[in-house]
Each structure stands twice: as C-alpha cells, then as structure tokens.
Amino acid sequence: MKPPTILIVEDQQLLLMHVQFAFEDAGYVVIQADSADQALLALDRHPEIRAIFTDVAMPGSIDGAALAARVHQTHPHVTIIVTSGEQLHVADELPDGVLFVPKPYTGHDIIRLIGESVA
C-alpha cells in the first residue's frame, strides 16, 4: 500500500524543510507549495493528496485560512491542519473539522495529528 501524500504549504524555507523531513521520516510522501495559489494547483494535479498542513501568513491571492476554507468545501476528504504564530484568533474562524496548531510546534506534534486524521 502506498503511503499517504501530504501537501505542505509554507513560504519559510527552513520551516518547510523541518516539516517535510518529519513527514518523510514518518513514511509520508510530501508535496510542497510556497503559496496558497500553488497549493490549489497541486491539489488539482495530485488527487492522491490526503492532508494539507498550511501556515496562515502566505504570499499570493489568499492566505492559509482562506485556503483551508476553500479546500474544506472542494475536497472534503482532505485533512487540513492550519498553523500560525501570530494570528491565533484564526482558529475560531476555521470550518468545523479543520485542525489548528499554534507555533511553535514540533514535527512530532504534526505527525501525531495527521496520523490520527488520515489513518
């Protein structure tokens, strides 16, 4: 059985690499996007994506919270985890079922949440 595919949406390269290595070490396939616009394209190109981990602050036409809301509507089977270090109020505005993890987080925290949701 092929391991689940995770889309990471993060514009800060070091954070992206940290989360990517954690997911890959846990056996997941990782696809990267550095904006919500790229994430939407990735979702169309990769129907095998089972989960998205996105930051809120993001360059492009929409932020990570708006991305989460859109994906929640268009891809209801995809697990969505949103993170932010500054915009903690966003957690209250996310659709039901979208998870929120405040920064700082550990790769282990994210792996556990994804594992519980995607299994």
Side-chain angles (χ1 to χ4, degrees):
M1 187 165 105
K2 189 176 177 188
T5 300
I6 310 292
L7 173 61
I8 302 170
V9 190
E10 174 61 68
D11 63 325
Q12 295 182 29
Q13 197 62 32
L14 288 176
L15 287 174
L16 176 71
M17 289 176 12
H18 169 75
V19 177
Q20 176 181 348
F21 292 149
F23 280 131
E24 288 175 347
D25 286 349
Y28 293 95
V29 174
V30 174
I31 296 173
Q32 302 176 3
D34 63 10
S35 72
D37 301 308
Q38 282 189 358
L40 292 171
L41 290 172
L43 276 168
D44 288 340
R45 291 183 186 138
H46 299 278
E48 71 276 16
I49 291 172
R50 298 276 312 277
I52 294 178
F53 178 66
T54 183
D55 192 8
V56 172
M58 196 72 51
S61 63
I62 62 174
D63 67 10
L67 171 65
R70 185 176 297 179
V71 171
H72 186 67
Q73 288 180 339
T74 61
H75 298 77
H77 64 284
V78 173
T79 297
I80 305 165
I81 300 177
V82 176
T83 187
S84 180
E86 299 164 12
Q87 298 169 299
L88 302 182
H89 66 279
V90 168
D92 298 331
E93 301 165 12
L94 294 173
D96 286 345
V98 174
L99 306 169
F100 181 80
V101 177
K103 289 182 182 178
Y105 54 79
T106 67
H108 187 72
D109 294 337
I110 306 306
I111 297 300
R112 182 180 49 75
L113 276 175
I114 290 286
E116 292 170 359
S117 302
V118 174

